[in-house]
Amino acid sequence: MFEELKQRVLEANLLLPKYSLVTFTWGNVSEIDREHGVVAIKPSGVEYEKLRAEDIVLVDLDGKAVEKGLKPSSDLATHLELYRAFDGIGGVTHTHSRWATAWAQAGESLPALGTTHADYFYGPVLCTREMTKEEICTEYERNTGKVIVETFREIDPKDVPAVLVHSHGPFAWGADAGSSVENSVVLEEVALMAFAAKMITPQKEVMQDVLLEKHFCRKHGKNAYYGQK
Amino acid sequence: MFEELKQRVLEANLLLPKYSLVTFTWGNVSEIDREHGVVAIKPSGVEYEKLRAEDIVLVDLDGKAVEKGLKPSSDLATHLELYRAFDGIGGVTHTHSRWATAWAQAGESLPALGTTHADYFYGPVLCTREMTKEEICTEYERNTGKVIVETFREIDPKDVPAVLVHSHGPFAWGADAGSSVENSVVLEEVALMAFAAKMITPQKEVMQDVLLEKHFCRKHGKNAYYGQK
Amino acid sequence: MFEELKQRVLEANLLLPKYSLVTFTWGNVSEIDREHGVVAIKPSGVEYEKLRAEDIVLVDLDGKAVEKGLKPSSDLATHLELYRAFDGIGGVTHTHSRWATAWAQAGESLPALGTTHADYFYGPVLCTREMTKEEICTEYERNTGKVIVETFREIDPKDVPAVLVHSHGPFAWGADAGSSVENSVVLEEVALMAFAAKMITPQKEVMQDVLLEKHFCRKHGKNAYYGQK
Amino acid sequence: MFEELKQRVLEANLLLPKYSLVTFTWGNVSEIDREHGVVAIKPSGVEYEKLRAEDIVLVDLDGKAVEKGLKPSSDLATHLELYRAFDGIGGVTHTHSRWATAWAQAGESLPALGTTHADYFYGPVLCTREMTKEEICTEYERNTGKVIVETFREIDPKDVPAVLVHSHGPFAWGADAGSSVENSVVLEEVALMAFAAKMITPQKEVMQDVLLEKHFCRKHGKNAYYGQK
């Protein structure tokens, strides 16, 4: 069942090695079918070269298997928490991409320093707070999701479709699996650029608000005018 | 019409992914036919893998479509402003290449630190001033071009065929579409080298004037002696 | 003899260029057959493109040739010292991979800054002390092994399956040749990430102990729940 | 004539793009036939993809053409100066490789920080002094060679087969064209590693003398024991 969903999730997962966002099996992409309440996600620890559409795992929003199959990604509970809390999203990607992970390891939010960032993220990509011992020791993956949701208490997740989990790495989301990967690729690019800009001018803080708004709205929302129609 | 022009602009655009200067569709190259007052430019948001010569958009110097076709790059107005102000140029390239963009995001001009730079740029590659709120909110892309032109008030754009737009990224130009891409490639190389040199010796300012002149003139102008004939 | 062992060691060695861990012939992988007391290792100075299974050299734990063949890697004595001291390991890899070597050259241990590190290394990847003149001038390669073993006096080499040899570069190990290469790949990734994180936040020291433990134990030991089964 | 010499020089030049040491035509390799006093070098400004053995230019030690052909590399006079002053060398390579050039642009010698460096360079790779106005304005390329030779007044060029020309980039040499390229590859690797090590531990100066000597002599000279025989 859900063959098209599986196929889309397979293809989105295969974009991770294509864009050099993963080493070995360190990444996973999922997509939700909101109508049927079904989430399709990469199986745990399976190599990308060997991944086939039929390996993609189907679960419901509580993480219960929808059909017999492989074990889902160990990060499933984080994906589910995001789908439950963020109504408008349809796909989630997690990677340990180098430069975004470096910012997460530094425990620093990624500042909006230029229009490349502003084209996709309407403000800084925030770094979550450190998790408590309790959050880490019980239901760790689910609590990872909860801490992400907490970070977006006053931010629309569609305005900033990514986050840096403290001491861990990035999660990104989008309308579907493919666009969550696209946002992951952009995040990695701007993480490198912001690293280099910070080294060149350590005191640099952020770009102008008006330029940030101009670029985000040039590509998103009702007044967007980028692309073909 | 203008099949050869379109073909040249197509090929120049395809150099951007070849030299790893673009992610997704973040770049565009144009060329002007001065005799007929026609500019050929990449269409907006079209993927490089799918780009064909017939997709290249033809406009006049006011940006009016010369034939029925796709929507031109959203940066068209910047290209046009450069063609209007800089008589001697025939091609323009815009990218968000990593290291050049990092300097633009840092709001710093790229200093001339070595002969690789001097072979192509006769002085620093300047970073433009920040644009005003008014410039950003009305005719943003055209004003981007005007701020570039303002930056070159006392510099010959043929001596330094590139610029860093503040908080945005690089534009480069040349005799035709292909040479504007070539200058973009060089800019990216020297942006990385200058980054590294600045990290090694933060107090380093610039190279010797006489060496800068020697190298620029070895490749450009009437006494050039680099290459065959 | 030992054709399967040679084949495995060949394949593990060929992973080094695949993962961009070596330039020229700067790396070597070995595996031990504990039952027969035989170690298979790359021959010295042979190019990877030309390496065949029959070129792999067989020696006993004293380094004596088990059959007529090529000269073993000049680092053989270091591998043997590790096999003698670390009971539980079956494969060893040595490279001069860029970012791990940079940390070794800086003489700094690689701090545990994030979950990518914690998934494989249960604590910092230590840098050995500088060797004495005597250790360098006599039985240098064997003494390199001894200094590594000394560094692990109070650490289980299975908990942290890698080390940085001061002013030299990384050694990693694992259950077999292949897993020692896998640990080398991970080490290189986390060495780059830790470099970048340190540049972003120089005062950053380490990640939370509880998160380190959570991630290491998610993948290793009896309560591991990563992967299929 | 000298078909084998041309073929070797062609192949050595083609290693430059293979090892990502050049952009466009920014590099050149030569080899000398000492018996006949003939130097074979890359022609000026010819693209690597189009380079054929018959394009390689033959000159004598005064730079006079030995046969009708293309114009030699504009850096020819530097190569010739090195062949005249350094008896024992047979090949010379010049590139603008990124990290070595960054050190040259910083005006800093590349310190010996680890065994990767020590395996090829018996001490720091020195940065030349800045050239005087007179040296730059008259016979610039030849004077570049003279400043390199001056830098080696008290160093055997076989002990440190490379140099960083101030504000310019690296030259390397070896027994033949191929080994001069090999040394250029190593130089680029250690330039990146030394950059990173310096960022991690800015106060780090050099490696132990005894370790430097051990590694250099393990690969070079009469007591070398690396490789097959």
Side-chain angles (χ1 to χ4, degrees), chain A residues 49-173:
Chain A
E49 299 95 276
K50 299 181 179 161
L51 195 63
R52 300 157 309 162
E54 57 261 45
D55 298 329
I56 300 299
V57 183
L58 297 180
V59 298
D60 65 20
L61 266 170
D62 295 319
K64 239 184 69 182
V66 163
E67 60 178 10
K68 202 157 167 280
L70 295 173
K71 245 179 74 183
S73 163
S74 58
D75 296 306
L76 170 66
T78 313
H79 290 240
L80 295 180
E81 199 60 30
L82 297 182
Y83 286 126
R84 277 191 295 258
F86 298 163
D87 280 354
I89 70 172
V92 171
T93 296
H94 172 50
T95 77
H96 288 212
S97 69
R98 288 163 191 158
W99 296 94
T101 300
W103 282 89
Q105 291 194 166
E108 292 275 332
S109 297
L110 184 67
L113 295 182
T115 62
T116 321
H117 184 113
D119 281 338
Y120 291 82
F121 306 113
Y122 193 21
V125 176
L126 295 174
C127 185
T128 62
R129 65 165 170 80
E130 289 189 321
M131 292 167 75
T132 65
K133 189 172 173 182
E134 289 64 37
E135 289 169 333
I136 292 169
C137 294
T138 321
E139 293 201 291
Y140 168 63
E141 289 82 5
R142 183 171 188 183
N143 287 330
T144 299
K146 284 183 185 295
V147 169
I148 295 173
V149 173
E150 175 190 320
T151 306
F152 279 77
R153 209 177 284 155
E154 299 179 12
I155 301 165
D156 183 336
K158 273 183 284 187
D159 283 349
V160 183
V163 74
L164 303 173
V165 176
H166 199 293
S167 307
H168 189 152
F171 281 81
W173 46 83

Side-chain angles (χ1 to χ4, degrees), chain A residues 23-26 43-44 70-71 74 96 98-99 102 105-106 108 131 136 140-141 167-168 195 198-199, chain C residues 19 113-116 120 182 186 189 193 196-197 199-201 204 208 210-211 214-215 218 225-228:
Chain A
T23 300
F24 302 132
T25 60
W26 307 349
S44 183
L70 295 173
K71 245 179 74 183
S74 58
H96 288 212
R98 288 163 191 158
W99 296 94
Q105 291 194 166
E108 292 275 332
M131 292 167 75
I136 292 169
Y140 168 63
E141 289 82 5
S167 307
H168 189 152
F195 167 81
K198 188 182 166 73
M199 294 298 108
Chain C
Y19 284 105
L113 295 182
T115 62
T116 321
Y120 291 82
E182 182 178 349
V186 177
E189 286 290 317
M193 288 174 181
M199 294 298 108
I200 294 168
T201 317
K204 188 74 166 32
Q208 297 159 275
V210 61
L211 185 61
K214 171 69 190 176
H215 266 264
R218 195 168 85 148
Y225 58 94
Y226 182 91
Q228 300 301 324

